[in-house]
Amino acid sequence: MQATEPLAAAGAATPAHATFFPTPTVKRRVTVMVYELFLLFAVEMLAVLVYLLLTGNRQEPLFQHGLKLWLFLVTGLYFTWCWRDSGHTLAMKTWRIKVAQAGHARLPWRTAIVRYLLAWGWFAPALLVCAAAGLHAKGEIAVALVVGIAVWALTAFLDKDRQFLHDRLAGTRLVQLPKIKR
């Protein structure tokens, strides 16, 4: 049996007969992340265009590092604003998943930012290993990322509520919203 979360914490109206939302399955959450990659790709391509227009497409190392920082900030703004505003991104909304924190109708900014930074645990360890080991080939980096992502995904199976490590550390949880009957 999966853990549940009160409706009030998910920010929805509380019907008298339904007081809890279940935790979405790990498979469903990973599917949402794949869908999110496509949407995030579009957001980041627009951000790259803006950056290149503002910098005149300069290619010096400073501007290349600036682009990485710009994308990190744009991605962070995209996720934290969505989580703070409605509790979900477009991909999460499509799959009826919402980020919730007990005692809050809306995710506080600080919690959203902490969750974003902790979510880099999906990628950062593998990227640090690549940098430390001097891996530069796309295949080597891809293998490191796949291994790192798989290890992070397994953290959900170590948690009694099946929450990923970044959600546990941030004090948030993902909840499955019910289908809306029309």
Side-chain angles (χ1 to χ4, degrees):
M1 176 109 187
Q2 291 190 341
T4 56
E5 180 67 21
L7 282 173
T14 308
H17 64 281
T19 57
F20 292 95
F21 283 138
T23 300
T25 64
V26 173
K27 180 180 175 183
R28 186 177 191 93
R29 287 179 279 164
V30 170
T31 302
V32 168
M33 286 185 241
V34 171
Y35 182 27
E36 195 73 68
L37 284 174
F38 293 109
L39 299 173
L40 188 58
F41 182 74
V43 168
E44 293 204 349
M45 287 301 100
L46 181 60
V48 167
L49 175 66
V50 169
Y51 184 83
L52 293 177
L53 290 173
L54 291 175
T55 62
N57 196 15
R58 297 190 53 188
Q59 298 298 313
E60 292 87 9
L62 177 65
F63 289 95
Q64 291 178 359
H65 292 301
L67 176 60
K68 292 173 187 172
L69 178 61
W70 171 248
L71 290 175
F72 177 79
L73 294 173
V74 167
T75 302
L77 183 62
Y78 166 74
F79 283 114
T80 57
W81 181 77
C82 288
W83 296 333
R84 169 73 174 112
D85 183 55
S86 62
H88 44 67
T89 62
L90 182 58
M92 293 168 72
K93 184 176 183 177
T94 302
W95 286 85
R96 297 183 331 273
I97 293 176
K98 187 172 185 173
V99 178
Q101 184 178 29
H104 297 276
R106 291 172 40 166
L107 206 61
W109 276 110
R110 180 182 177 129
T111 303
I113 292 167
V114 167
R115 185 176 192 269
Y116 171 69
L117 294 173
L118 290 171
W120 273 94
W122 286 92
F123 311 102
L127 294 175
L128 291 173
V129 166
C130 288
L135 303 178
H136 298 292
K138 291 179 184 176
E140 295 171 336
I141 294 171
V143 168
L145 284 171
V146 167
V147 169
I149 289 168
V151 168
W152 195 267
L154 290 174
T155 64
F157 296 103
L158 300 175
D159 185 79
K160 65 179 171 42
D161 296 329
R162 296 289 189 247
Q163 295 295 321
F164 290 122
L165 184 58
H166 64 280
D167 280 312
R168 177 62 63 195
L169 294 174
T172 58
R173 63 182 302 117
L174 294 177
V175 294
Q176 179 70 48
L177 301 174
K179 287 184 179 179
I180 297 173
K181 295 179 183 176
R182 297 176 191 249

